[in-house]
Amino acid sequence: MTRSEENYLKTIFHLGGGDAKSITTNAIAEQMETKPSSVTDMAKKLSEKGLVDYVRYQGVSLTDAGVKTALSIIRKHRLWEVFLVKKLDFTWDEVHEVAEQLEHIKSEKLIDKIDELLDFPKYDPHGDPIPTKDGKFQERDEKLLSEIPINSQGVCVGVKDSSVPFLKFLDKNKIALGNTIKVLDKEDFDNSLRIQMEGKEMRISHQIAANLYVKKNN
Amino acid sequence: MTRSEENYLKTIFHLGGGDAKSITTNAIAEQMETKPSSVTDMAKKLSEKGLVDYVRYQGVSLTDAGVKTALSIIRKHRLWEVFLVKKLDFTWDEVHEVAEQLEHIKSEKLIDKIDELLDFPKYDPHGDPIPTKDGKFQERDEKLLSEIPINSQGVCVGVKDSSVPFLKFLDKNKIALGNTIKVLDKEDFDNSLRIQMEGKEMRISHQIAANLYVKKNN
DNA sequence: ATCTATTTTTAGATTTGTCTAAATTTAATT
DNA sequence: AATTAAATTTAGACAAATCTAAAAATAGAT
Ligand SMILES: [Mn+2]
Ligand SMILES: [Mn+2]
Ligand SMILES: [Mn+2]
Ligand SMILES: [Mn+2]
């Protein structure tokens, strides 16, 4: 399994190809910042290896073996992210790039020991669930902050957009995972929200609210 | 800097190419388990990049830039080995293979934080010195156990051969770094030694003694 | 100094992963 | 049903890293 193959499987999974849904060549190419023709070449190779189902002109989806491999890469990525934050004091906007490299280290013992060292975390620094060793996800009942009703409240548990600028924006505004947020009011004009968070009141734009996951209380 | 380039620089350094000494194509090829023709190709490339001095038919030596790069890879390798042993309970015969991968991770912050987490170790699990960030070695006055006189004693500080079988042999015989060893007697016939170690007496072959470094007490 | 064995390099091929440009297929529109 | 636009694949090329086989250079031995 080459690094490139692993990256393709991971991308296909993230685009939804784990549910027998066909992912188009173009979608994969765009996500990976490569050319559709390169994706076609790789689709053939992964198909040969039994990791994807590929129908010419129709796109690819992951086989069971492909899902399993993708989940093991994602597991490694997220565990390394937790390690970097918890053990090496990286900030949550610094970890992704390094984890992109670390996720390809080949040693089952290594990642199991990292998992143990971290006391088997269930979520990564961005609130994304960490698949278990046998490929199961910790599902969670979460909603976008923009989609919960006025006067309801929840705990911030994840980000939809985990780009560096967004994460830095959240830091600057002291919005962190674990914070309890109550929606006080919604502005019809621009869909911005007035919220109460950790005692303080503030206003956030729809774009922010639509990229924060909360777990509703009760 | 590709992974392959880094591996060549590291190998050339280990073969002594850091002291302006010319290392032959064949020596490099043998060490890396590749073909001399491949080494020639890489020699040209590294020479182009100013990392080695290469004279056709004469071999290569590292430039200052080449030494610097080699040391940074070796630093990473050895720090990761310490990490694996100290933080993840790997045994000293398990770490090399994984460190061969981890040494190529590109993130200065990562290795500096690992260094800090480990409290800036000076030696790796095999007793090899860890270069500092600015490329200096912690030299140590060490001798092979086979070369110290009868009735002298020293602390075991390193292994010359760090192959898995040798390390496992040492474990099995409870010979560990840090142990104090006294040479009681030398057998002329086969150069084997009678030693006293941590209270116990034992006999070890010349081959073993010639692969153990000790730091003589006074 | 010449021959010879060894080392080293060159030339040409292969694999992996990528690209561009052209051809093909599909999907949408008249 | 025919046309057109968009998506996808094919064909051919390229860079990196490797190999084999042949050619060239070096070093050792007479
Ligand atoms: Mn990430
Ligand atoms: Mn993440
Ligand atoms: Mn090692
Ligand atoms: Mn070592």
Side-chain angles (χ1 to χ4, degrees):
Chain A
M1 185 68 55
T2 68
R3 174 173 299 219
S4 188
E5 288 170 348
E6 290 181 347
N7 282 332
Y8 273 94
L9 292 176
K10 193 177 54 149
T11 299
I12 295 166
F13 183 91
H14 281 136
L15 291 172
D19 314 312
K21 189 176 123 197
S22 243
I23 309 300
T24 67
T25 308
N26 259 16
I28 298 165
E30 189 176 357
Q31 181 76 22
M32 298 187 71
E33 299 184 71
T34 183
K35 301 294 170 182
S37 53
S38 306
V39 178
T40 300
D41 289 343
M42 186 56 81
K44 287 177 187 164
K45 186 190 307 185
L46 293 174
S47 174
E48 280 297 311
K49 294 196 173 189
L51 294 162
V52 305
D53 291 318
Y54 168 56
V55 183
R56 270 176 55 193
Y57 292 100
Q58 296 307 127
V60 297
S61 62
L62 297 173
T63 62
D64 287 352
V67 169
K68 203 181 147 202
T69 307
L71 283 175
S72 101
I73 307 297
I74 291 166
R75 170 176 159 77
K76 286 191 274 185
H77 182 100
R78 293 181 179 169
L79 281 171
W80 278 116
E81 287 191 342
V82 176
F83 171 78
L84 294 172
V85 167
K86 296 283 187 195
K87 298 295 176 182
L88 302 186
D89 298 314
F90 276 59
T91 55
W92 66 344
D93 59 295
E94 293 175 319
V95 296
H96 181 75
E97 193 194 359
V98 186
E100 285 289 306
Q101 300 179 60
L102 287 163
E103 71 188 5
H104 300 291
I105 300 290
K106 276 153 192 65
S107 166
E108 203 175 342
K109 176 161 186 170
L110 174 59
I111 200 63
D112 288 347
K113 285 288 192 175
I114 289 285
D115 194 19
E116 186 186 334
L117 179 73
L118 299 169
D119 207 15
F120 311 103
K122 294 198 167 45
Y123 299 97
D124 84 359
H126 312 101
D128 294 315
I130 298 173
T132 59
K133 207 162 140 63
D134 54 317
K136 304 231 185 309
F137 257 108
Q138 307 285 340
E139 284 301 344
R140 185 173 44 188
D141 180 39
E142 62 189 19
K143 291 220 166 82
L144 289 174
L145 179 58
S146 55
E147 289 171 0
I148 67 171
I150 292 173
N151 281 322
S152 64
Q153 66 169 33
V155 176
C156 186
V157 293
V159 293
K160 188 172 176 206
D161 172 10
S162 58
S163 69
V164 171
F166 183 55
L167 298 177
K168 286 193 158 153
F169 169 89
L170 295 178
D171 283 344
K172 203 172 61 187
N173 290 278
K174 306 257 192 285
I175 303 172
L177 302 197
N179 286 7
T180 297
I181 299 178
K182 181 174 183 180
V183 179
L184 300 175
D185 202 7
K186 202 170 280 189
E187 174 60 60
D188 274 349
F189 176 64
D190 63 356
N191 283 313
S192 67
L193 299 182
R194 201 158 56 80
I195 63 171
Q196 185 174 61
M197 185 183 72
E198 306 289 305
K200 268 172 276 186
E201 272 189 35
M202 61 191 295
R203 176 166 294 282
I204 62 175
S205 69
H206 175 77
Q207 203 193 332
I208 305 304
N211 280 296
L212 284 175
Y213 287 115
V214 293
K215 187 180 164 196
K216 270 186 72 179
N217 289 351
N218 61 59
Chain B
M1 186 65 58
T2 68
R3 173 174 300 218
S4 187
E5 288 170 350
E6 290 180 347
N7 283 333
Y8 272 95
L9 293 176
K10 193 178 51 151
T11 300
I12 295 165
F13 183 91
H14 281 136
L15 291 172
D19 315 310
K21 188 177 124 195
S22 244
I23 310 299
T24 66
T25 309
N26 258 16
I28 298 165
E30 190 175 355
Q31 181 76 21
M32 298 187 71
E33 298 184 76
T34 183
K35 302 293 170 184
S37 53
S38 306
V39 178
T40 300
D41 289 344
M42 186 56 82
K44 287 178 189 164
K45 187 191 305 186
L46 293 174
S47 174
E48 280 297 312
K49 293 195 172 188
L51 295 163
V52 304
D53 293 317
Y54 168 56
V55 184
R56 271 176 51 186
Y57 291 99
Q58 297 307 127
V60 297
S61 63
L62 296 174
T63 63
D64 287 352
V67 170
K68 203 180 146 205
T69 308
L71 284 174
S72 102
I73 308 297
I74 291 167
R75 170 177 160 77
K76 286 191 274 183
H77 182 100
R78 293 180 179 168
L79 281 172
W80 279 115
E81 286 192 342
V82 176
F83 171 78
L84 294 172
V85 167
K86 296 283 186 194
K87 298 295 176 182
L88 302 186
D89 298 315
F90 276 60
T91 55
W92 66 344
D93 59 296
E94 292 175 320
V95 297
H96 181 74
E97 192 194 357
V98 185
E100 285 289 305
Q101 301 179 61
L102 288 164
E103 72 189 5
H104 301 291
I105 300 290
K106 278 155 191 66
S107 167
E108 204 175 339
K109 175 162 187 171
L110 174 58
I111 200 64
D112 289 345
K113 285 287 191 175
I114 289 284
D115 194 20
E116 185 186 334
L117 179 73
L118 299 169
D119 207 16
F120 311 104
K122 295 197 165 44
Y123 301 97
D124 85 357
H126 314 100
D128 294 315
I130 298 173
T132 60
K133 206 163 141 63
D134 54 318
K136 305 233 186 307
F137 258 110
Q138 307 284 339
E139 285 300 346
R140 185 175 43 190
D141 180 40
E142 60 187 21
K143 290 218 167 81
L144 290 174
L145 178 58
S146 55
E147 289 170 1
I148 67 172
I150 292 175
N151 281 322
S152 63
Q153 65 168 34
V155 175
C156 187
V157 293
V159 292
K160 188 171 177 209
D161 171 8
S162 58
S163 69
V164 171
F166 183 55
L167 298 177
K168 285 193 159 153
F169 169 88
L170 295 177
D171 283 343
K172 202 171 62 187
N173 290 279
K174 305 257 193 282
I175 302 172
L177 301 197
N179 286 7
T180 296
I181 299 178
K182 180 174 185 180
V183 178
L184 300 176
D185 202 7
K186 201 170 281 192
E187 173 61 60
D188 276 348
F189 175 64
D190 63 355
N191 284 313
S192 67
L193 300 181
R194 203 157 55 79
I195 64 171
Q196 184 173 63
M197 185 182 73
E198 306 289 306
K200 268 173 279 187
E201 271 188 35
M202 61 190 296
R203 175 166 292 282
I204 62 175
S205 70
H206 175 75
Q207 203 192 332
I208 305 304
N211 280 295
L212 283 176
Y213 288 114
V214 294
K215 187 180 164 196
K216 271 186 72 177
N217 289 350
N218 58 60

